[in-house]
Amino acid sequence: MKKKILFSSLIAALSLNVQAADLDISITNLTQGIYFTPIIASAHSADAHLFQVGQTASTELQAMAEGGDISGLQSVATAMSANSLSNPAGGLLAPGQMASGMLMTDSGNVSLSLAAMMLPTNDGFIGLDNWTIPTEAGTYTVYINAYDAGTEANDEIRGGGAPGTAGMPVPPPLENLIGKNGTGVTSAEENMMVHIHRGNLGDDDMMAGKSDVSNTVQRWLNPVAKLTVTVK
Amino acid sequence: MFNFKRTASIIALASVALIAGCSDDDDNNTPEMMDMDYRYQVTVSNLTHAQPLSPIAAILHEDGMLWQIGQPASAALEQQAESGDNSQLLAGYPYSASGSGVVMPGVDGVVEVSIKNNANALLTVSSMLVNTNDAFVGLNAIALADLMVGESMTMMGHVYDAGTEANNELANSIPGPAAGGAGFDATRDDVNFVAMHPGVVSQDDGLASSVLTQAHRFDNPSVKFTIVRMQ
């Protein structure tokens, strides 16, 4: 009996130690034609979230999803005492490319969340909500789906990235990759909660049509990203 | 803590005994080892609506990967992903096998592959979605070391794009029954790296020049892989 108690307290001590974890994180853009804006990955407490499916996007999530600005989410993460890996790609993560970084987590920050806007979209983002970080050392793979923040109509035409500004932001590499003069796919956003993105529609006319997105290049199927976490 | 130390010593003693036992065995004059065959049955279940799969390539290899996201496809993989012809791919690997024919939608394709004296082989499987420009499904260097005889593994497969041919969906560049066009073209007019496939658009969803219809669209997962260790 005494032995049993000692053994359990030993396990408890071990788990406490590994809760403060040393992680290697890499994110691969699995798509053929979609860019990711700066990525934020945060380790936080089990009850915290950067976003939740079925809930209204926070203004900080909206700023990330519509314009790629992660400063708001970074502040939210800091306020919840999270440990964050910010912008590991140093800008856009191009199709097929991988970005890596290290993340040291404080005790109690046992869940991982991640977000980055997808371009060209209106408010599409890659997202991971509250993934429990394994306590056992090893390498773990998580496939990431595309979400829609529900904050902007998916008109799929050139516009701006400021929250509330219609249309898609068009930073330099996208300038020559997307079309012009689209009349707009839709002006309504019917589901205003965070939801799984229905995908880009696009069209086959770079100079006209409804959409400025190319339907053979800038569509996607899930999963759109691969997260690899090595627990050391 | 005392108790824990004692447990640790017992474990240490046990290890010593185990090692001693092993070296005893090694000292025996056993006859020369027979070749040990490791044989696996690979089943590819086609989950698509109207995308026949080209003859399956099943390859057992020691290390490496036959493709990687973000890296250019090999010429042999390009050949299979654009035309369905797996012969170049298989030619590079002695422990490999081809499926006997096209695997139709809703059908299971089965192939057996074996390797000698290697319990730690990696399995790579690939097959083209023939009503596409260069889409393929595959298992990429799956470790088999933990699979015991009679055990099986099941995995769902997503669709890759070889990145070697633009997804123009034109009749003359799609080899499957939807088009009957040419398959392989050595020209690389696409991104030139392997990625996940964006899906086919089709003439019914806004690509006027496409030979494909709504029927040829697909989503992930598109195949189910089942691996059984037979021997």
Side-chain angles (χ1 to χ4, degrees), chain B residues 59-136:
Chain B
I59 296 167
L60 291 168
H61 51 109
E62 288 189 7
D63 50 26
M65 290 196 272
L66 276 73
W67 65 85
Q68 265 184 284
I69 295 284
Q71 299 296 315
S74 67
L77 181 65
E78 176 185 9
Q79 176 75 244
Q80 189 191 29
E82 293 184 13
S83 74
D85 175 3
N86 64 17
S87 58
Q88 267 191 45
L89 202 60
L90 296 176
Y93 295 89
Y95 299 109
S96 62
S98 174
S100 56
V102 166
V103 181
M104 296 303 288
V107 172
D108 290 352
V110 182
V111 57
E112 287 199 4
V113 60
S114 60
I115 190 166
K116 286 191 191 307
N117 305 327
N118 186 347
N120 302 313
L122 305 175
L123 174 69
T124 290
V125 178
S126 60
S127 171
M128 178 194 186
L129 277 67
V130 299
N131 288 324
T132 68
N133 289 94
D134 60 344
F136 69 102

Side-chain angles (χ1 to χ4, degrees), chain A residues 2-3 6-7 10 28-33 95-97 143 201-204 215-223, chain B residues 1 3-4 6-7 69-70 158 161 163 167 190-191 193 195-201 205-208 218-220:
Chain A
K2 189 182 166 198
K3 191 169 170 181
L6 277 171
F7 193 53
L10 185 73
T28 305
N29 180 340
L30 298 177
T31 71
Q32 202 186 26
Q97 297 301 299
Y143 286 98
L201 181 66
D203 64 33
D204 58 359
N215 59 10
T216 56
V217 179
Q218 289 143 353
R219 286 188 177 192
W220 68 83
L221 299 176
N222 284 324
Chain B
M1 194 43 93
N3 281 318
F4 172 69
R6 196 176 63 185
T7 312
I69 295 284
H158 300 149
D161 190 309
N167 294 338
D190 200 4
V191 294
F193 61 79
M196 300 311 296
H197 201 286
V200 295
V201 181
D205 198 23
L207 185 58
F218 54 83
D219 202 348
N220 290 324

Side-chain angles (χ1 to χ4, degrees), chain A residues 196-211:
Chain A
I196 288 284
H197 202 292
R198 61 192 182 274
N200 278 342
L201 181 66
D203 64 33
D204 58 359
D205 191 334
M206 288 288 277
M207 298 308 288
K210 281 184 186 173
S211 172

Side-chain angles (χ1 to χ4, degrees), chain A:
Chain A
M1 194 57 184
K2 189 182 166 198
K3 191 169 170 181
K4 215 173 192 176
I5 290 161
L6 277 171
F7 193 53
S8 344
S9 52
L10 185 73
I11 287 179
L14 277 173
S15 326
L16 271 179
N17 284 338
V18 291
Q19 273 184 0
D22 183 1
L23 310 175
D24 279 343
I25 289 182
S26 53
I27 299 118
T28 305
N29 180 340
L30 298 177
T31 71
Q32 202 186 26
I34 304 291
Y35 287 74
F36 300 163
T37 62
I39 297 160
I40 180 164
S42 294
H44 50 71
S45 63
D47 58 353
H49 302 271
L50 293 183
F51 73 93
Q52 279 182 280
V53 174
Q55 303 288 317
T56 309
S58 64
T59 53
E60 294 84 1
L61 188 82
Q62 181 181 8
M64 180 280 301
E66 294 186 16
D69 176 6
I70 55 172
S71 61
L73 286 178
Q74 176 67 64
S75 302
V76 168
T78 304
M80 57 170 82
S81 303
N83 306 106
S84 296
L85 175 63
S86 242
N87 194 14
L92 296 182
L93 184 64
Q97 297 301 299
M98 183 180 82
S100 304
M102 292 193 300
L103 186 58
M104 304 284 286
T105 68
D106 294 329
S107 181
N109 285 340
V110 296
S111 296
L112 187 70
S113 292
L114 176 153
M117 184 194 185
M118 299 167 65
L119 285 173
T121 70
N122 288 89
D123 60 342
F125 66 102
I126 64 165
L128 177 68
D129 170 33
N130 203 288
W131 178 73
T132 302
I133 301 167
T135 51
E136 193 177 331
T139 297
Y140 302 86
T141 299
V142 185
Y143 286 98
I144 308 272
N145 292 325
Y147 293 91
D148 188 310
T151 55
E152 182 174 306
N154 294 353
D155 61 12
E156 300 185 11
I157 55 176
R158 288 168 182 259
T165 303
M168 308 179 295
V170 191
L174 271 297
E175 178 61 38
N176 299 319
L177 299 176
I178 69 171
K180 289 184 167 74
N181 311 321
T183 55
V185 169
T186 177
S187 57
E189 182 69 3
E190 287 169 34
N191 184 347
M192 296 172 70
M193 305 297 167
V194 176
H195 55 276
I196 288 284
H197 202 292
R198 61 192 182 274
N200 278 342
L201 181 66
D203 64 33
D204 58 359
D205 191 334
M206 288 288 277
M207 298 308 288
K210 281 184 186 173
S211 172
D212 289 341
V213 168
S214 163
N215 59 10
T216 56
V217 179
Q218 289 143 353
R219 286 188 177 192
W220 68 83
L221 299 176
N222 284 324
V224 289
K226 184 173 85 167
L227 167 71
T228 306
V229 177
T230 302
V231 180
K232 292 192 281 198

Side-chain angles (χ1 to χ4, degrees), chain B residues 1-220:
Chain B
M1 194 43 93
F2 169 74
N3 281 318
F4 172 69
K5 271 184 186 158
R6 196 176 63 185
T7 312
S9 333
I10 291 166
I11 290 167
L13 277 173
S15 315
V16 170
L18 208 65
I19 291 162
C22 286
S23 56
D24 275 358
D25 284 350
D26 289 346
D27 290 342
N28 288 346
N29 285 324
T30 47
E32 201 172 319
M33 283 278 285
M34 298 279 287
D35 274 344
M36 178 76 181
D37 272 327
Y38 294 84
R39 188 157 54 89
Y40 303 90
Q41 181 192 66
V42 179
T43 301
V44 182
S45 305
N46 185 339
L47 308 180
T48 70
H49 180 261
Q51 288 285 348
L53 296 170
S54 69
I56 299 157
I59 296 167
L60 291 168
H61 51 109
E62 288 189 7
D63 50 26
M65 290 196 272
L66 276 73
W67 65 85
Q68 265 184 284
I69 295 284
Q71 299 296 315
S74 67
L77 181 65
E78 176 185 9
Q79 176 75 244
Q80 189 191 29
E82 293 184 13
S83 74
D85 175 3
N86 64 17
S87 58
Q88 267 191 45
L89 202 60
L90 296 176
Y93 295 89
Y95 299 109
S96 62
S98 174
S100 56
V102 166
V103 181
M104 296 303 288
V107 172
D108 290 352
V110 182
V111 57
E112 287 199 4
V113 60
S114 60
I115 190 166
K116 286 191 191 307
N117 305 327
N118 186 347
N120 302 313
L122 305 175
L123 174 69
T124 290
V125 178
S126 60
S127 171
M128 178 194 186
L129 277 67
V130 299
N131 288 324
T132 68
N133 289 94
D134 60 344
F136 69 102
V137 286
L139 285 178
N140 192 351
I142 300 297
L144 299 173
D146 293 337
L147 201 62
M148 298 296 120
V149 173
E151 284 185 349
S152 68
M153 293 163 76
T154 299
M155 280 158 287
M156 306 307 281
H158 300 149
V159 180
Y160 293 95
D161 190 309
T164 54
E165 183 174 296
N167 294 338
N168 55 29
E169 301 180 18
L170 294 174
N172 64 11
S173 60
I174 290 180
F184 179 68
D185 183 334
T187 310
R188 296 198 175 193
D189 61 351
D190 200 4
V191 294
N192 201 21
F193 61 79
V194 177
M196 300 311 296
H197 201 286
V200 295
V201 181
S202 85
Q203 58 188 250
D204 293 320
D205 198 23
L207 185 58
S209 56
S210 174
V211 70
L212 304 177
T213 72
Q214 47 75 30
H216 303 111
R217 294 179 307 150
F218 54 83
D219 202 348
N220 290 324

